Amino acid sequence: MRQDGPMRIAVTGSTGLIGTALTRSLRAEGHDVLRLVRRPASAADEVTWHPQEGHVETAGLVGCEAVVHLAGAGVGDRRWTEAYKRELRDSRVRGTRTLATALATLENPPHTLLLGTAIGYYGDTGNRAVDESAGPGDGFLADLCQDWEAAARPATDAGIRTVSARTGLVVARGGGAWGRLFPLFRAGLGGRLGTGRQYWSHIALHDHVAALRFLLNHADLSGPVNLTAPHPATNREVTAAMGRVLHRPTPFAVPAPALRFALGEFAGDVLGSQRVLPRRLLDAGFRFAFPDVTAAIRAAL
């Protein structure tokens, strides 16, 4: 079942890489987009919320048909100290619980909560390909993703269709992990990480936004949905594709011990392998514009 026509949609994390692109895309198609901000609202399209304090100005959400929740501290932004791990957890779990609880109190709640989570849910899958039927893995990110998704239960219990969009590495020039790779490869300093045999499940920013919009429009989809390209690539394949597209040599390799020294615990996830397939998206009829890593890199440029 498809939802047609303009909608009133609220977005958290609207200034981030994905939120900015999604908001622009929705407005270009005539949707009314509200942005949740963590300060006093200063424009007609803003709604104040304080996720850590459990407060949302729910009056501003009246009439919303869908909410897209993308807010949260960046997983790769800083070294994983115990303090930053708490920040990662609180920004996602508390923020999601705050939003889901607020939506559940509305007399006429939105029909959809689209929650941006992560393929970290599956842990290290090695060479084994997994889809949404797979159970959770082990480790900090896997535990975080489970609690993150569970925090949306107040919305689900209130009858709100809840979708957990489990996102892979977004291929974009303007931000995220890939945004930090482009300058290195342009400078001829790019290379494989560790053995390079680990799978990086990626998705082009264009396809990511298109998939979010697809999920907003398809009311028959709920629960976990993987937002990853249908052809995961190894880090070695990513390295070769980056060099080929940017016309740069890729002679360097960063050994695992150096990564662990530089990144701490997060290095385990960089060196880990996640071969994740978007089975539910494909079965529902979604078509990727950039299905392989070379096409995704070209699209980002």
Side-chain angles (χ1 to χ4, degrees):
M1 183 173 63
R2 180 180 170 86
Q3 174 78 29
D4 292 311
M7 291 188 285
R8 185 174 176 84
I9 302 169
V11 179
T12 75
S14 63
T15 60
L17 172 68
I18 297 167
T20 298
L22 176 64
T23 298
R24 183 187 304 119
S25 175
L26 290 171
R27 285 178 170 165
E29 292 296 323
H31 298 286
D32 180 15
V33 180
L34 297 174
R35 298 178 298 116
L36 274 73
V37 297
R38 288 175 287 183
R39 53 171 171 74
S42 59
D45 68 340
E46 294 181 347
V47 176
T48 299
W49 78 316
H50 298 291
Q52 300 302 320
E53 288 75 36
H55 175 71
V56 181
E57 294 287 350
T58 53
L61 298 178
V62 171
C64 281
E65 297 164 87
V67 176
V68 183
H69 180 36
L70 302 172
V75 169
D77 288 356
R78 287 163 49 190
R79 186 182 178 90
W80 280 10
T81 63
E82 289 303 313
Y84 194 59
K85 285 165 67 175
R86 284 194 298 272
E87 183 177 340
L88 288 171
R89 182 179 183 80
D90 289 348
S91 69
R92 286 164 171 76
V93 178
R94 286 188 183 178
T96 300
R97 186 179 298 117
T98 292
L99 185 62
T101 301
L103 297 179
T105 66
L106 292 173
E107 184 176 353
N108 294 300
H111 58 69
T112 297
L113 171 60
L114 181 48
L115 174 65
T117 64
I119 61 170
Y121 175 92
Y122 302 107
D124 189 336
T125 73
N127 291 326
R128 178 174 57 95
V130 299
D131 59 23
E132 294 87 351
S133 65
D138 299 315
F140 171 73
L141 279 184
D143 292 344
L144 172 58
C145 288
Q146 292 177 72
D147 293 342
W148 188 358
E149 294 182 5
R153 186 174 301 278
T156 307
D157 290 345
I160 300 171
R161 175 177 74 104
T162 303
V163 183
S164 295
R166 295 175 179 166
T167 301
L169 290 167
V170 178
V171 185
R173 184 175 53 183
W178 224 284
R180 292 193 288 275
L181 290 180
F182 276 113
L184 290 174
F185 277 85
R186 284 188 185 280
L189 300 175
R192 63 176 171 82
L193 304 179
T195 66
R197 292 193 293 268
Q198 68 272 30
Y199 278 91
W200 279 15
S201 292
H202 65 279
I203 184 169
L205 178 60
H206 172 95
D207 282 334
H208 193 286
V209 170
L212 290 175
R213 295 192 52 179
F214 184 90
L215 293 172
L216 285 172
N217 288 331
H218 284 73
D220 54 337
L221 286 172
S222 62
V225 179
N226 294 333
L227 268 61
T228 57
H231 306 298
T234 65
N235 175 256
R236 188 183 295 270
E237 291 168 337
V238 168
T239 300
M242 288 285 281
R244 188 165 55 249
V245 172
L246 294 173
H247 307 291
R248 293 290 188 275
T250 56
F252 299 102
V254 183
L259 276 175
R260 293 190 181 97
F261 177 78
L263 301 179
E265 186 178 346
F266 181 49
D269 289 272
V270 172
L271 295 168
S273 182
Q274 292 193 303
R275 191 178 182 182
V276 180
L277 303 179
R279 181 63 55 207
R280 296 193 68 200
L281 270 181
L282 293 174
D283 287 349
F286 181 79
R287 294 294 175 261
F288 287 83
F290 307 101
D292 62 73
V293 71
T294 300
I297 294 168
R298 292 188 187 280
L301 297 173

